[in-house]
Every structure is written in C-alpha cells, then in structure tokens.
Amino acid sequence: MSPHYQTKKRFGQNFLTDKNIIEQIIRIINPKDSDNLVEIGPGNGALTEKLLTFCPRLWTVEIDRDLVSILKQRFMHYKNFFLIEGNALEINFSTNFAPLPIRVIGNLPYNISTPLVFHLMQHRHVIQDMLFMFQREVVERLYAKPHNKSYGRLTVMVQYFCEVFPMLDVPPEAFQPIPKVNSCFVRLLPRKQIKLSAENELILARLVSTCFQQRRKTLRNSLRKFCSEPDEFFSKINLDLRPDQISVQDYVYLSNQLGALNFDPK
Ligand code: SAM
C-alpha cells in the first residue's frame, strides 16, 4: 500500500495483509481458466494480484477514486484486468459482465454486506457462485437454523435462494487496520432448483420482512396484517409459534397461501 494512502472508514476499508490467509482464500476460490470473475472492492489489490494470474477475465468494482487510480497504475498492463469505478450496489450484474455466468467474490466492506447480498439475489440467475469475506456474525445469520437467535430475515431469504458454506474463519489481525470483529470467508451457491418454490418472490420477501419486524410476537399476530382470519388460511402452520421457529419451507407455504388470497405485495 502506498505510504500516502489514508484508509477510509466510510468505505469499510480493512485491507487483507496476512499472506497465509490470502493464499488460503485463493485456494478456496479455486479460479479456473474458464471463470469470469467479478471482484467487489479490490482495495489495493491483495486478492486481485493473485487472481489475475489464474483467470482469463477479472472484473473489479471499486468505489474509492483514490484506490481506482492506484489500481489502474498497478494492473492496467494486464490484458485480463477490467475496472469499473462505482458503487457495487448500483451495478446491474446481469448486463455488465459478459460472458455469463459470473463468479462474484470479495473481501466486502461490512456496511454493505447485507444490502449487497439482497442486490445479488436479484441477479442470481447469472451467478455461478459468490465467495465473500463477511463479519463472522453475518455468516452466523446466513447459516442459522430455526430456534437460533441468529435466524432472521437474511437467513430465510438467502437460504431460499442459495446453499451456504462457511469456508474459513479469519482473525482480526489478518487485516490492516485491525477490525474489532472476527470475520469468515463464506461461499453462497445459488440453488439450481428450489424444492418448494414461492409462486411470487415479492410476496415471500414482504411476508418474511413483516414477520421478523415483530420477532417476539406470534405468527398469528403478524399475519393479521395480511388477513383477518389467519388460522383459516394458514392451517398447516402452528400460528402460536414465533417467526424464528418455522423453517424456510414453512415461509414458502405461508407466502403461497397469501398469493392465493390475491395479496398484492407492492
Ligand atoms: N479487497 C481488498 C482487500 O482484501 O484487502 C479491500 C477490502 S476492503 C474490506 C473493502 C473495499 O471495498 C475497499 O476497497 C472499499 O473502498 C470498497 N468499497 C466500499 N464500498 C463499496 C461499494 N459500495 N462498491 C464497491 N466497492 C466498495
């Protein structure tokens, strides 16, 4: 890193500096010469440099103008390096990175991890897999099972669309500056087929969000927002339970029942 560069907290800049961890992450990504990789937040290029030696195309998306000019100086002579200056949350992943499908990777700034995952779910049809460094606590939420305090809206929506594989725990000392939290590198694999699919994903999203807004209330209480007699319409589920006590499949059932009521999620 240039000695003149001041890291920016607002962009969640904790750069990976531990060479051993960087090697392990590259091994987990396991880039192939057929891969079309998209790296979010390349920073000063700790992962970028290694990835460029493996793959025919590496797209990078970086928001910080100062880092963009450092990256350009460092990597522009690589024919397989492509850089977009911008906000990953505003990028259309379905149209910007031909050829498809893409693999999306990154040591993400913690403040955008959840919105980015929701954004990427909308583009999952063009995504082969996603490999991200997240705060350990976020990975616990992604991976949680019902009856666990980490089980929530993020869990249900991500597990509906993807399989979740925590791959590597990473200690704070692997980064500069050192963050206050532990991290975990995780793989999200979009499901090719969903066993019980939601007829309307907007309804599912709206339902899950409404239920978890009132975590301590019974499902019956939350579902009254959608219909006056929930026990009649959602008879397969025990509505005395709380939102964190039913499975992803149960949410799909509730959502499909709600669809049958002609509920408009907009
Ligand atoms: N990949 C580098 C590494 O591992 O050392 C840097 C990781 S650092 C945690 C996060 C990077 O994402 C920073 O370079 C930051 O500027 C960039 N970033 C933050 N918000 C972003 C956004 N919305 N879109 C694209 N890049 C972003």
Side-chain angles (χ1 to χ4, degrees), residues 11-16 39-44 46-47 61-64 67 86-88 107-109 112:
F11 291 142
Q13 291 177 351
N14 299 95
F15 297 115
L16 264 172
E39 185 186 4
I40 314 284
N44 59 350
L47 297 172
V61 181
E62 177 54 63
I63 200 169
D64 181 343
L67 288 175
N87 182 347
N107 169 19
L108 292 185
I112 69 157

Side-chain angles (χ1 to χ4, degrees), residues 1 5 8-17 22 25 39-48 60-65 67-68 71 84-91 105-112 116 133 174-176:
M1 181 92 260
Y5 183 76
K8 301 184 184 84
K9 231 181 178 171
R10 71 179 183 284
F11 291 142
Q13 291 177 351
N14 299 95
F15 297 115
L16 264 172
T17 49
I22 293 172
I25 287 174
E39 185 186 4
I40 314 284
N44 59 350
L47 297 172
T48 319
T60 54
V61 181
E62 177 54 63
I63 200 169
D64 181 343
R65 193 175 294 170
L67 288 175
V68 165
L71 287 161
I84 295 181
E85 178 178 344
N87 182 347
L89 294 172
E90 291 167 5
I91 297 264
I105 56 162
N107 169 19
L108 292 185
Y110 295 139
N111 53 342
I112 69 157
L116 185 70
M133 183 82 77
F175 304 88
Q176 262 316 317

Side-chain angles (χ1 to χ4, degrees), residues 1 79 87 110 112 127 132 177-178 221 247 250 265:
M1 181 92 260
K79 289 210 164 54
N87 182 347
Y110 295 139
I112 69 157
I127 297 177
F132 292 132
I178 298 176
N221 212 309
S247 69
D250 290 337

Side-chain angles (χ1 to χ4, degrees), residues 73-118:
Q73 275 178 26
R74 198 165 162 201
F75 298 121
M76 267 316 178
H77 61 283
Y78 283 83
K79 289 210 164 54
N80 51 347
F81 176 75
F82 302 92
L83 176 61
I84 295 181
E85 178 178 344
N87 182 347
L89 294 172
E90 291 167 5
I91 297 264
N92 183 337
F93 284 79
S94 301
T95 55
N96 268 279
F97 306 111
L100 301 173
I102 51 175
R103 303 185 72 200
V104 189
I105 56 162
N107 169 19
L108 292 185
Y110 295 139
N111 53 342
I112 69 157
S113 33
T114 303
L116 185 70
V117 169
F118 277 108

Side-chain angles (χ1 to χ4, degrees), residues 176-224:
Q176 262 316 317
I178 298 176
K180 291 199 177 73
V181 293
N182 286 308
S183 302
C184 181
F185 197 63
V186 66
R187 179 168 190 230
L188 305 178
L189 186 63
R191 295 182 194 279
K192 292 222 163 63
Q193 281 197 323
I194 296 179
K195 238 193 291 168
L196 176 61
S197 63
E199 280 148 29
N200 183 330
E201 285 164 7
L202 283 179
I203 297 183
L204 177 68
R206 176 78 192 280
L207 169 83
V208 172
S209 160
T210 304
C211 289
F212 281 103
Q213 267 162 22
Q214 311 191 68
R215 256 188 112 83
R216 287 160 185 273
K217 299 211 168 150
T218 62
L219 289 164
R220 180 177 299 103
N221 212 309
S222 296
L223 291 170
R224 281 213 179 95

